[in-house]
């Protein structure tokens, strides 16, 4: 086929694909005929749904809760539950479906009982060791009484002068300088849900004897109603009926009239037996409906986030209620033989991946099942890993050392992430093995994302729990098979290290696809005999032909080359030192480069190649038209790298972008064919391979040179550019260790370079000082994690809280107790004679030394001797808790004696009243900065159940073992993202950028639907797409839709990522922006306050990007005409800008400009002149007299000066609030609310990709002083500036408006 025809075919294929994707869905209403009241309901359906989706909708509808065992009929014919509605003959709008009740099986009866118990609130609290306490918590509903997005408030609230002095708003008593309070992330005490019945469970007569099972008896149940009546119920194949049994007599047959009662559904039977049930159930529904549905839904395809602080009421004895059926749920879920939950995980995973993928419907169904099976495997594997870590599973090889033991539980294979058999002896032993399994999961995820047909990967996760790292994998058929002596254990790659290498041509085609996608070079390796073998991947990567006939790829921890520069500098001997204190060497040699770095380097080199080709063509001939990059087939490759995910694309090496753009946009160039460009890396260089011939040696030297070039690119370009971007505010500043780690990873920087980041940021720049403090905090937290793991590894579970409590006291509690002592139960200690109790010997001095050693060897950074005095206690405690999976009791921990004294003084001032938060509009927070200096508890506010660390006079340490309430596992999985949903999202963004709004919106909506269908609604990826689409809809002025999506983004982020994660904070800040734009400004201020309180907890005060938030708060207060308060918030923003950017920076000048406008509104004309003069002086010195900003500030300065003189001459007119009107209309910078920058997001990014469509040289507001005067007099509308376009872009080479004036977050 010719290139042209290939291009046409591809273009046609793409067009058909997107037409198929965006074709209007057949969504219509159908009627469901029911056997009981209300006898029929209407449901909206789509022909692309399956019948089982419709079944689920019926089961979740309020009027049809009771149905669970039924089938649907259409025109008298039964419909298969697993077909799409489009396949049902004659099914269309207005069709009627008949619901027909089915006979029960024992399994369906058990499932029905579990479901009814959940629905009517009889299930009580479940104890789930995997999910932790209060898992999936959301604070969204307690932040503010939300308004309907479709019903905005009045255009402006009452004028400020019409309000009583001191009228409250959400920020009335907020202070940036007060310490953070854990009350912010503690939910309000909720009333226990209304009981609809007293109890419902399995009867003591269960299970039915065989002769009664033959008659259709399935289960025997016992019900106690709120009236105190007890009923024995028989679950029969026909339904449920009250029998004649009692607690002492067995007679499971129906009662005679009039006491007989029977129904197909247990729900209906309870309604008959209990007169109060229906009313109490309706009350329960009303209570549940007051909360957002997303806050109540159970997570299915994601493990909920477990908060690191839990309320004392959640761990009180009274919170654990008696429920006999809770002990029977294993039987109800798994059956008598406990076999229903046993699954062949590997076969399910591989069969799902082999499903057809030809049509869009096929791909949706396949990716949906893939997401589901991976989520279920991850949860089952994590539960088993916890049991293995606790010693509750017997090993398959009990005679081996503990590190070498392997386990099988629930058809999942487990091993420890340690070098139990000496595989990694030369690489660093246990340290290398621990890192290798982590990189293996990343490699499996990368291969899963490629989705190569014919190549299988086992389900894989790693679990860190109780100081142990466990690897959980689905069992590959044939992996334990004993092969013949002449056969290798694997079929491709290194068999026993690098000594024996196997080759198999059957693996070459699939392995070559992996190598091509991951930029891996096909290269030779040599075995111990010196024989040459050509491999497609690293010699460590293995191929195994399973007994099921599938080709498996294993051991994917070396997909990229080693970081040779780091090894040569910091790991000279390559062997694990005898003791860590004797050597500064890095503890292992598993220092591979990140895939993101390889991708960024590839783009950088491709840009150089394009430039070189362009120069050659300019020399040879002159071009007629603009250049385009092609791949040799005629296809345009302008967006060649755009198929990576949007978040990563924003972070990849930006140096190649100008070159790419030059190649794309220079008008004199022809097309550039990049098919001849190739860049692949050999992952086995510097790994002990010995080339034999001169030709091989030369090729190997070239491969080594290429890898060294990548390392040099990292050191000379990537790391310095990241620091420069953060210094200049070109990207969003990280808030905590998690966001810093993600930012570094997206740039392709390994976390071992944290020390180098800290070293390179040692200067006077405030932003870099903040970055250095954050990197040091992250290094200390990670070092503490490694120290804690070492002490926990060989410690019984009963002593983990004692160990962690003592270590935390030695690190964070020395200000209260300089010599904390470990608490150990000596009676328990006698039971575990072989345990390692060395943690009890740790002192603050030795722990400090251990942390310094860990930081020195892992990050090659020497901590300052006084680093313990600079740590931020609460932020470091949070970071450690998240890394170790700790759940602590929520209270104000006392870290120093000064804190204790201040707390006691505050409590005495409060006259013994517990200090609770002031809750304005339901706002989370605590009372601060009142005019009279006293703490108050306002009506309508909530009192948090937070105890204070100083309540107990005898407590001499910051932490006690009881404070550590739980440990949850830290899980790293290999679940791939949905390619289809990402493609639709990317296509929608590109269409929006190309101004094709109609098709763009269709694609974006389709992407949203795909995300929800594939992942389920409660999933982190869905939260992120809600977040992006909310921003896009806000830009399109679809404010109601934007607010609705933003609310969903907040709730899902809270439940899946954490109530105080940095993404949750950004979601709250943008929700505030949208609510403000919809004129719900009081609600917006509540969001801002909550976000600022969270910000204090995870970072502290004065975050460099908080300038944007403070500006937005000032604008919102202006909207409410709280002019003095607005001025104060502008001044707070200016103070941080002066500290972060410097007093003579352009950012500070812009804020001075805005503050001058605010001073005009506050009638401080003299102050306004002073501030404007400062702004003009800075603009003139930094940007020159001809710059637009300089000229504009000069005009304003002249006018404000004249105005101030006039005001002085006409003091009486001023008192009468009448200003001399002047004909002058200079343009001023927008003081509108701006989007909060996402961590690591560059200025050129927007929610739809890159902000190329909305960038302009200036973005001004046209308010004149006359208009400001009108506002002061009460006749103007301030909403023009604050509710207009929300984006403020750069009008000069330097940004305007402080560090926060950056592009919208993605």
């Amino acid at each position: 086929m010719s290139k042209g025809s290939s291009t046409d075919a591809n273009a046609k294929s793409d067009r058909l694909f997107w037409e198929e994707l965006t074709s209007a869905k057949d969504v219509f209403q159908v009627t469901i005929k029911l056997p009981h009241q209300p006898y029929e309901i209407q449901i909206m359906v789509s022909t692309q749904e399956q019948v089982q989706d419709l079944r689920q909708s019926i089961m979740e509808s309020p009027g049809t809760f009771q149905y669970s065992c039924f089938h649907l009929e259409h025109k008298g014919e039964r419909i298969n539950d697993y077909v799409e509605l489009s396949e049902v003959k004659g099914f269309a709008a207005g069709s009627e479906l008949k619901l027909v009740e089915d006979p029960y099986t024992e399994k369906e009866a058990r499932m029905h009982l579990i479901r009814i118990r959940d629905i009517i609130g009889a299930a009580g609290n479940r104890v789930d060791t995997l999910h932790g306490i209060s898992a999936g918590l959301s604070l969204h509903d307690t932040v503010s009484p939300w308004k309907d997005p479709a019903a905005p408030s009045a255009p402006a609230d009452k004028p400020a002068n019409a309000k009583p002095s001191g009228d409250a708003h959400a920020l009335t008593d907020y202070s940036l300088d007060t310490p953070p309070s854990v009350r912010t992330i503690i939910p309000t005490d909720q009333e226990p849900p209304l009981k609809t019945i007293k109890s419902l469970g399995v009867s003591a007569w269960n299970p039915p004897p065989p002769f009664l099972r033959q008659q259709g008896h399935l289960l025997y149940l016992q019900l106690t109603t709120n009236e105190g009546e007890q009923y024995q119920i028989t679950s029969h194949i026909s339904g449920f009926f009250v029998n004649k049994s009692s607690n002492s007599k067995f007679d499971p047959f129906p009662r005679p009239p009039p006491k007989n009662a029977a129904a197909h559904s247990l729900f209906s039977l309870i309604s008959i037996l209990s007169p109060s049930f229906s009313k109490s159930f309706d009350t329960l529904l009303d209570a549940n409906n007051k909360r957002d549905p997303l806050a109540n839904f159970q997570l299915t395809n994601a493990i909920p986030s477990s908060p690191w602080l839990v309320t004392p009421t959640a761990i009180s004895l009274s919170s654990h209620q008696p429920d006999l059926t809770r002990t029977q749920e294993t039987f109800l879920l798994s059956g008598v033989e406990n076999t229903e939950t046993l699954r062949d995980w590997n076969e399910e995973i591989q069969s799902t991946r082999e499903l057809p993928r030809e049509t869009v419907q096929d791909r949706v169904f396949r990716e949906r099942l893939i997401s589901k099976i991976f989520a279920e495997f991850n949860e089952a594997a994590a539960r088993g890993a916890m049991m293995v870590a606790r010693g509750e599973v017997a090993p398959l090889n009990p005679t081996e050392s503990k590190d070498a033991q392997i386990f099988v539980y629930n058809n999942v294979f487990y091993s420890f992430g340690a070098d139990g058999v000496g595989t990694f002896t030369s690489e660093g032993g246990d340290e290398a093995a621990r890192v290798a399994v982590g990189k293996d999961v990343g490699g499996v995820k990368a291969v899963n994302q490629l989705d190569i047909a014919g190549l299988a990967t086992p389900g894989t996760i790693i679990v860190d729990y109780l100081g142990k790292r466990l690897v959980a994998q689905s069992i590959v058929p044939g992996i334990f098979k004993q092969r013949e002596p002449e056969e290798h254990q694997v079929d491709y790659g290194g068999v026993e290290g690098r000594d024996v290498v196997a080759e198999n041509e059957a693996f070459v085609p699939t392995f070559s696809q992996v190598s091509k996608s991951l930029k891996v070079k096909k290269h030779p390796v040599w075995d111990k005999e010196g024989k040459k073998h050509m491999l497609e991947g690293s010699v460590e990567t293995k191929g195994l032909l399973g007994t099921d006939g599938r080709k498996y790829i294993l051991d994917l921890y070396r997909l990229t080359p080693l970081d040779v520069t780091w090894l040569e500098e910091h790991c000279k001997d390559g062997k694990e030192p005898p003791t860590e204190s004797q050597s500064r060497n890095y503890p292992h040699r598993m220092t591979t480069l990140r895939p993101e770095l390889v991708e960024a380097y590839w783009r950088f080199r491709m840009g150089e190649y394009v430039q070189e080709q362009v120069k050659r063509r300019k020399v040879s001939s002159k071009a007629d038209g603009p250049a385009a990059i092609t791949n040799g087939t005629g296809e345009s490759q302008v967006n060649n790298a755009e198929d990576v995910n949007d978040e990563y694309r924003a972070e990849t090496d930006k140096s190649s972008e100008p070159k790419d753009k030059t190649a794309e946009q220079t008008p004199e160039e022809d097309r550039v064919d990049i098919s001849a460009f190739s860049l692949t890396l050999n992952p086995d260089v510097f790994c002990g391979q010995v080339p034999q011939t001169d030709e091989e040696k030369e090729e190997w030297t070239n491969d080594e040179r290429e890898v060294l070039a990548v390392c040099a690119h990292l050191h000379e370009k990537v790391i310095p550019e990241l620091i420069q971007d953060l210094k200049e505010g070109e990207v969003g500043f990280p808030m905590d260790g998690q966001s810093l780690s993600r930012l570094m990873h997206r740039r392709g920087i390994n976390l071992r370079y944290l020390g180098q980041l800290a070293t390179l940021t040692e200067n006077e720049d405030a932003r870099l000082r903040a970055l250095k403090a954050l990197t040091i905090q992250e290094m200390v937290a990670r070092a503490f994690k490694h120290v804690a793991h070492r002490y926990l590894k060989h410690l019984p579970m009963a002593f983990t809280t004692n160990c962690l409590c003592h270590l935390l006291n030695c690190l964070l509690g020395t200000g209260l107790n300089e010599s904390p002592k470990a608490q150990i139960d000596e009676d328990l200690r006698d039971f575990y004679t072989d345990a390692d109790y060395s943690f009890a010997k740790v002192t603050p001095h030795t722990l400090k030394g251990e942390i310094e050693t860990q930081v020195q060897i892992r990050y090659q950074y020497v901590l300052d001797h006084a680093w313990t005095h600079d740590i931020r206690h609460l932020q470091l405690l949070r970071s450690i808790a998240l890394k170790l999976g700790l759940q602590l009791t929520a209270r104000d921990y006392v870290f120093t004696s000064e804190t204790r004294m201040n707390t006691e003084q505050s409590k005495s001032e409060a006259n013994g009243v517990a200090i609770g938060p002031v809750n304005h509009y339901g706002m989370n927070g605590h009372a601060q900065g009142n005019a009279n200096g006293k703490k108050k508890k306002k009506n309508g506010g909530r009192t948090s159940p937070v105890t204070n660390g100083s309540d107990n006079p005898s407590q001499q340490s910051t932490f006690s073992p009881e404070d550590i309430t739980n440990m949850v596992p830290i899980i790293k999985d290999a679940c791939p993202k949905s390619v289809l949903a990402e493609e639709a999202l990317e296509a929608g963004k590109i269409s929006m950028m190309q101004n094709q709004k109609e098709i763009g919106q269709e694609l974006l909506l389709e992407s949203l639907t795909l995300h929800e269908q594939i992942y389920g609604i409660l999933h982190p990826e869905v939260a992120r797409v809600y977040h992006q689409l909310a921003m896009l809809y806000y830009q399109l002025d679809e404010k109601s839709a934007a607010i609705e999506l933003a609310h969903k983004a907040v709730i899902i982020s809270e439940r899946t990522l954490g109530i105080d994660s940095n993404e949750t904070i950004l979601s709250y800040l943008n929700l505030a922006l949208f609510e403000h734009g919809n004129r719900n400004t009081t609600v917006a201020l509540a969001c801002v306050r909550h976000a600022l309180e969270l910000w204090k907890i995870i970072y502290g005060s004065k975050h460099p990007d908080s300038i944007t938030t403070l500006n937005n708060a000032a604008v919102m207060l202006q909207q409410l005409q709280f002019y003095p308060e607005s001025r104060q918030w502008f001044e707070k923003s200016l103070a941080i800008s002066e500290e972060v950017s410097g007093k003579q920076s352009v950012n500070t000048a812009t804020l001075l400009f805005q503050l001058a406008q605010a001073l005009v509104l506050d009638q401080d004309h003299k102050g306004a002149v002073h501030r404007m003069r400062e702004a003009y002086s800075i603009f003139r010195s930094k940007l020159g007299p001809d710059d637009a900003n300089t000229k504009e500030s000069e005009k304003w300065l002249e006018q404000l000066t004249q105005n101030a003189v006039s005001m002085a001459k006409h003091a009486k007119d001023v008192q009468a609030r009448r200003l001399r009107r002047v004909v002058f209309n200079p343009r001023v910078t927008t003081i509108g609310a701006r989007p909060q920058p996402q961590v690591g997001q560059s200025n050129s990014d927007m929610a739809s990709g890159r902000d190329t469509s909305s960038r302009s040289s200036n973005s001004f507001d046209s308010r004149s002083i006359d208009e400001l005067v009108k506002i002061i007099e009460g006749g103007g509308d301030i909403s023009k500036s604050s509710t207009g376009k929300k984006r403020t872009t750069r009008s000069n080479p330097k940004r305007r408006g402080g560090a926060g004036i950056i592009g919208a977050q993605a």
Side-chain angles (χ1 to χ4, degrees), residues 736-966:
D736 60 354
Q738 285 183 328
S739 53
L740 175 62
S741 301
R742 282 198 297 269
L743 172 59
M744 291 177 65
H745 284 165
R746 288 201 297 267
R747 290 290 182 104
I749 305 171
N750 302 82
L751 290 181
R752 58 177 170 269
Y753 285 102
L754 278 169
Q756 187 168 332
L757 279 185
T759 302
L760 293 173
T761 52
E762 291 178 346
N763 62 29
E764 297 303 314
D765 183 82
R767 288 179 71 90
L768 293 188
R769 286 202 305 272
L771 178 61
K772 179 182 177 182
L774 194 56
T775 54
I776 290 176
Q777 176 180 297
E778 182 67 3
M779 286 189 288
V780 169
R782 289 179 175 273
F784 181 90
K785 177 188 72 172
H786 288 289
V787 172
H789 280 168
R790 191 172 74 251
Y791 288 118
L792 289 172
K793 187 174 182 180
H794 302 295
L795 196 65
M797 186 176 178
F799 296 97
T800 54
T801 56
N802 305 79
C803 172
L804 291 166
C805 165
H806 181 59
L807 294 178
L808 287 173
N809 278 326
C810 288
L811 177 66
L812 299 172
T814 54
L816 186 63
N817 184 350
E818 293 182 355
S819 304
K821 302 296 181 184
Q823 302 177 33
I824 298 181
D825 189 328
E826 295 299 331
D827 294 334
L828 278 180
R829 183 172 184 166
D830 294 338
F831 283 104
Y832 301 98
T833 55
D834 59 342
D836 179 8
Y837 299 101
S838 56
F839 75 88
K841 301 176 183 177
V842 175
T843 65
H845 178 72
T846 60
L847 179 62
K848 178 184 176 185
E850 287 188 78
I851 289 176
E852 289 173 351
T853 301
Q854 289 288 331
V855 170
Q856 190 172 4
I857 66 171
R858 293 183 184 278
Y859 307 107
Q860 300 301 310
Y861 183 79
V862 179
L863 288 171
D864 183 80
H865 183 69
W867 64 270
T868 52
H869 301 295
D870 299 328
I871 59 178
R872 291 175 288 193
H873 293 87
L874 187 63
Q875 288 76 28
L876 182 56
L877 174 62
R878 174 182 178 271
S879 184
I880 289 171
L882 293 177
K883 287 175 173 55
L884 291 173
L886 304 183
Q887 290 192 284
L888 306 171
T889 303
R891 61 182 181 86
D892 289 326
Y893 289 98
V894 180
F895 298 107
T896 63
S897 55
E898 290 82 6
T899 310
R900 176 190 287 271
M901 293 172 59
N902 292 340
T903 306
E904 291 174 351
Q905 182 179 0
S906 299
K907 296 186 81 171
S908 63
E909 287 177 1
N911 298 321
V913 179
I915 302 173
V918 175
N919 182 14
H920 299 291
Y921 318 109
M923 183 61 216
N924 288 306
H926 52 284
Q928 300 163 352
N930 287 333
N932 57 7
K934 293 183 180 179
K935 310 281 187 177
K936 293 182 179 180
K937 189 186 299 180
K938 304 230 174 180
N939 293 333
R942 63 182 179 86
T943 304
S944 295
V946 181
T947 61
N948 194 289
S950 60
D951 288 346
N952 183 2
S954 63
Q955 182 179 352
Q956 295 300 320
S957 297
T958 302
F959 302 94
S960 66
E962 293 75 23
D963 288 328
I964 302 172
T965 60
N966 191 28

Side-chain angles (χ1 to χ4, degrees), residues 822-1130:
Q823 302 177 33
I824 298 181
D825 189 328
E826 295 299 331
D827 294 334
L828 278 180
R829 183 172 184 166
D830 294 338
F831 283 104
Y832 301 98
T833 55
D834 59 342
D836 179 8
Y837 299 101
S838 56
F839 75 88
K841 301 176 183 177
V842 175
T843 65
H845 178 72
T846 60
L847 179 62
K848 178 184 176 185
E850 287 188 78
I851 289 176
E852 289 173 351
T853 301
Q854 289 288 331
V855 170
Q856 190 172 4
I857 66 171
R858 293 183 184 278
Y859 307 107
Q860 300 301 310
Y861 183 79
V862 179
L863 288 171
D864 183 80
H865 183 69
W867 64 270
T868 52
H869 301 295
D870 299 328
I871 59 178
R872 291 175 288 193
H873 293 87
L874 187 63
Q875 288 76 28
L876 182 56
L877 174 62
R878 174 182 178 271
S879 184
I880 289 171
L882 293 177
K883 287 175 173 55
L884 291 173
L886 304 183
Q887 290 192 284
L888 306 171
T889 303
R891 61 182 181 86
D892 289 326
Y893 289 98
V894 180
F895 298 107
T896 63
S897 55
E898 290 82 6
T899 310
R900 176 190 287 271
M901 293 172 59
N902 292 340
T903 306
E904 291 174 351
Q905 182 179 0
S906 299
K907 296 186 81 171
S908 63
E909 287 177 1
N911 298 321
V913 179
I915 302 173
V918 175
N919 182 14
H920 299 291
Y921 318 109
M923 183 61 216
N924 288 306
H926 52 284
Q928 300 163 352
N930 287 333
N932 57 7
K934 293 183 180 179
K935 310 281 187 177
K936 293 182 179 180
K937 189 186 299 180
K938 304 230 174 180
N939 293 333
R942 63 182 179 86
T943 304
S944 295
V946 181
T947 61
N948 194 289
S950 60
D951 288 346
N952 183 2
S954 63
Q955 182 179 352
Q956 295 300 320
S957 297
T958 302
F959 302 94
S960 66
E962 293 75 23
D963 288 328
I964 302 172
T965 60
N966 191 28
M967 280 188 76
V968 295
I970 306 298
I971 301 168
K972 184 178 181 181
D973 63 52
C975 184
K977 292 184 179 180
S978 166
V979 177
L980 182 63
E982 292 292 329
E983 285 176 353
L985 180 62
E986 195 63 33
K989 290 178 179 178
I990 293 171
S991 298
M992 298 298 291
M993 289 167 60
Q994 295 172 347
N995 217 21
Q996 298 174 346
K997 292 187 177 181
E998 189 173 342
I999 183 69
Q1001 284 186 277
E1002 286 184 17
L1003 284 166
L1004 291 173
L1005 282 174
E1006 185 62 34
S1007 170
L1008 180 60
T1009 304
L1010 290 172
H1011 275 85
E1012 292 175 342
Q1013 285 183 347
I1014 290 168
Y1015 293 114
I1017 294 180
L1018 295 174
H1019 193 279
E1021 292 301 320
V1022 178
R1024 293 181 181 115
V1025 79
Y1026 278 146
H1027 188 85
Q1028 294 180 53
L1029 294 185
M1031 187 65 70
L1032 278 167
Y1033 276 113
Y1034 189 76
Q1035 291 173 340
L1036 295 171
D1037 209 30
E1038 298 280 351
K1039 293 179 181 177
S1040 296
I1043 291 173
E1044 182 182 353
L1045 291 172
H1047 278 286
K1048 291 181 178 180
V1050 164
I1051 297 173
I1052 301 172
S1053 294
E1054 285 185 321
R1055 300 196 64 195
T1056 61
L1057 298 170
I1059 53 176
D1060 60 350
S1061 74
N1062 68 294
E1063 292 183 61
T1064 300
I1065 293 176
L1066 292 171
S1067 296
Y1068 268 113
L1069 290 173
N1070 278 352
L1071 174 59
L1073 176 70
F1074 303 157
E1075 290 282 6
H1076 169 65
N1078 203 39
R1079 299 181 178 179
N1080 295 335
T1081 304
T1082 52
V1083 171
L1085 287 173
C1087 293
V1088 169
R1089 175 163 183 157
H1090 184 65
L1092 288 172
E1093 294 279 15
L1094 293 177
W1095 217 331
K1096 273 188 186 179
I1097 290 175
I1098 77 169
Y1099 177 84
S1101 58
K1102 299 181 180 179
H1103 186 277
D1105 284 350
S1106 62
I1107 298 170
T1108 302
T1109 304
L1110 303 183
N1111 264 357
N1112 288 351
V1115 171
M1116 293 172 190
L1117 291 167
Q1118 278 189 354
Q1119 173 78 11
L1120 297 176
Q1121 301 189 11
F1122 286 105
Y1123 298 131
E1125 292 89 341
S1126 172
R1127 164 186 175 172
Q1128 292 170 8
W1129 281 79
F1130 274 125

Side-chain angles (χ1 to χ4, degrees), residues 445-456:
K445 186 168 188 174
V447 173
N448 284 343
Q449 195 65 50
L450 296 176
D451 202 10
I452 296 170
L455 187 64

Side-chain angles (χ1 to χ4, degrees), residues 427 493-494 496-501 523-535 537-540 558 562 589 682-692 696-697 700-701 703-704:
E427 306 293 331
E496 300 171 4
R498 295 182 289 269
D499 292 341
V500 181
V501 180
H523 62 279
V525 296
W526 296 266
D527 58 24
K528 63 181 178 181
E529 305 294 336
K531 183 181 178 182
K532 178 180 175 181
H533 304 268
M534 293 299 295
L535 293 182
S538 166
V539 69
E540 306 290 352
R558 279 272 301 280
L562 294 178
R589 290 182 58 87
N682 183 345
D684 286 325
V685 293
F686 302 104
C687 293
Q689 292 290 333
V690 183
Q692 302 297 310
E696 290 169 354
K697 290 178 181 177
W700 204 257
T701 302
D703 290 346
E704 290 179 341

Side-chain angles (χ1 to χ4, degrees), residues 37 90 133 246 288 371 476 498 602 764 867 942 1049-1050 1117 1127 1223:
Q37 284 188 347
I133 303 167
S246 66
N288 289 337
S371 177
V476 176
R498 295 182 289 269
W602 182 88
E764 297 303 314
W867 64 270
R942 63 182 179 86
V1050 164
L1117 291 167
R1127 164 186 175 172
V1223 182

